Amino acid sequence: MGGDFGPRFIVPASISCLAESPSLHVVLVGQTALLEEIIARHPGVDRSRLHIKHAGEVVGTNERPSQALRGKPDSSMRVALELVRDGYAQACVSAGNTGALMALSRHLLKTLPGIDRPAMVTAIPTRTGSCHLLDLGANVDCSAEQLYQFAVMGVVAAEALGTPHPRVALLNIGTEEIKGNQQVKLAASLLQKGEGLNFIGYVEGDGLYRGEADVVVCDGFVGNILLKSSEGLVSLVSSRLEALFRSGVTSRLVGVLALPLLRRLQAELAPARHNGASFLGLQGIVVKSHGSAGQEGFQSAIRRAVVEVRENLPRRLHGRLEDLLL
């Protein structure tokens, strides 16, 4: 029921994903009457794979996590996470309040042994493919030990998603060893000692997009700003190019020729295509969709959850933590 658009886009996204994946089952958690009304607009839905679990309360966008944790036992967010905790569902995907989702996830699903805090991670497009960036906003202030844990979780996630022996870097204001704040320097020292980690040192923001690392670690304050700035830059470049192609007769002619390439580039870099940040470090799979995501964006978040279920990511993490944690 969360996000800027609620079930208006989430229901069609779920139905589209059911059509893509014959083995997928989706449970829509929320107000039954409203969900049934939206489903009715999509004839031919396989109701044997689309289920509804009623929840009468909704966590608001601006509500404090403590209010969602203690004051709304029948919220759609809590009920969805309880389905994962109880084994009825294998993953939860939500576009709702990030702080509330994190608090409820930690309370209901618990963290894996050795992990202090879960971290949000997503794949960022680069020149050479993609880079896993974490944390994206779940942890604004982080210790060096927590940054080290993020790196370990990022490595396992990258390996599970097809990157062998991923290169790990700390996001910093320079590549020199003397650069950075105390937490980053201490985290670098820990990563240098970590066996089985391919730590390559520091990377700057432009190096991330050049594909210099496969896993880039930072605190949630920096990561969230980087992510939102990247999304804004993609939108700015796309709108400026379109405006240039409409600015005159010659530009329009060039635009007609360039339009297919521009559309392809927009599709490759569109935030909707990369929507869906995983909460790594939990004893269950939780994927956070951007609150402003439309249907296509929410479909991407569901697809990410499906991949993590297939790879059994929490079990893979648990199996590697003892080997990689200091």
Side-chain angles (χ1 to χ4, degrees):
M1 301 296 295
D4 295 352
F5 307 105
R8 179 156 58 97
F9 286 153
I10 292 174
V11 173
S14 301
I15 292 172
S16 295
C17 284
L18 286 173
E20 293 176 359
S21 178
S23 64
L24 177 66
H25 288 247
V26 172
V27 183
L28 298 170
V29 182
Q31 296 166 4
T32 301
L34 175 59
L35 295 174
E36 289 286 8
E37 178 186 335
I38 299 174
I39 292 172
R41 302 171 193 163
H42 301 268
V45 177
D46 183 358
R47 291 304 300 267
S48 68
R49 295 193 292 126
L50 183 66
H51 317 278
I52 292 178
K53 176 70 174 178
H54 181 73
E57 297 176 310
V58 177
V59 175
T61 304
N62 297 316
E63 288 187 32
R64 292 181 178 274
S66 58
Q67 185 178 354
L69 193 61
R70 293 189 289 268
K72 291 192 171 179
D74 193 37
S75 70
S76 56
M77 187 181 288
R78 185 184 188 106
V79 172
L81 289 165
E82 287 174 343
L83 295 178
V84 177
R85 179 198 63 187
D86 298 339
Y88 186 80
Q90 293 171 286
C92 170
V93 184
S94 173
N97 183 316
T98 303
L101 184 64
M102 177 59 78
L104 284 166
S105 297
R106 291 184 66 182
H107 175 69
L108 294 170
L109 302 181
K110 312 302 181 186
T111 57
L112 291 166
I115 298 299
D116 295 336
R117 300 179 185 177
M120 292 175 64
V121 61
T122 196
I124 302 293
T126 69
R127 288 185 188 177
T128 57
S130 63
C131 169
H132 292 79
L133 176 67
L134 70 165
D135 179 43
L136 298 176
N139 307 281
V140 175
D141 296 306
C142 300
S143 67
E145 290 76 13
Q146 287 161 351
L147 291 174
Y148 179 86
Q149 292 173 15
F150 295 169
V152 170
M153 293 191 292
V155 164
V156 178
E159 289 175 341
L161 297 173
T163 305
H165 202 45
R167 299 162 297 164
V168 185
L170 287 166
L171 187 63
N172 202 355
I173 58 173
T175 58
E176 301 87 350
E177 290 185 5
I178 61 171
K179 295 288 183 69
N181 58 30
Q182 192 65 17
Q183 285 77 13
V184 168
K185 292 177 181 177
L186 288 173
S189 177
L190 293 176
L191 286 166
Q192 287 168 349
K193 299 173 185 176
E195 295 183 6
L197 294 176
N198 184 15
F199 179 59
I200 62 172
Y202 298 141
V203 66
E204 297 181 76
D206 57 346
L208 184 156
Y209 293 106
R210 283 197 296 267
E212 294 178 0
D214 303 303
V215 175
V216 172
V217 179
C218 59
D219 63 47
F221 185 86
V222 172
N224 190 271
I225 292 174
L226 175 62
L227 180 67
K228 299 290 177 60
S229 299
S230 302
E231 293 173 351
L233 181 60
V234 170
S235 177
L236 171 65
V237 172
S238 296
S239 62
R240 287 289 179 88
L241 284 173
E242 290 183 354
L244 286 172
F245 287 144
R246 293 194 302 266
S247 62
V249 176
T250 303
S251 297
R252 290 192 184 98
L253 290 174
V254 173
V256 170
L257 297 174
L259 189 59
L261 291 177
L262 177 60
R263 293 289 183 237
R264 180 178 173 183
L265 179 63
Q266 287 177 320
E268 290 178 356
L269 299 180
R273 181 177 178 180
H274 305 279
N275 182 52
S278 306
F279 284 4
L280 290 182
L282 295 168
Q283 297 184 39
I285 295 171
V286 179
V287 174
K288 172 66 174 71
S289 166
H290 201 299
S292 63
Q295 178 178 333
E296 182 184 355
F298 201 81
Q299 285 177 233
S300 296
I302 296 174
R303 292 187 193 108
R304 184 174 182 97
V306 169
V307 170
E308 293 187 10
V309 169
R310 288 175 179 163
E311 296 295 335
N312 204 341
L313 192 55
R315 179 175 291 181
R316 290 183 71 149
L317 267 171
H318 181 66
R320 294 289 308 280
L321 289 178
E322 289 187 3
D323 297 331
L324 295 176
L325 288 178
L326 295 175

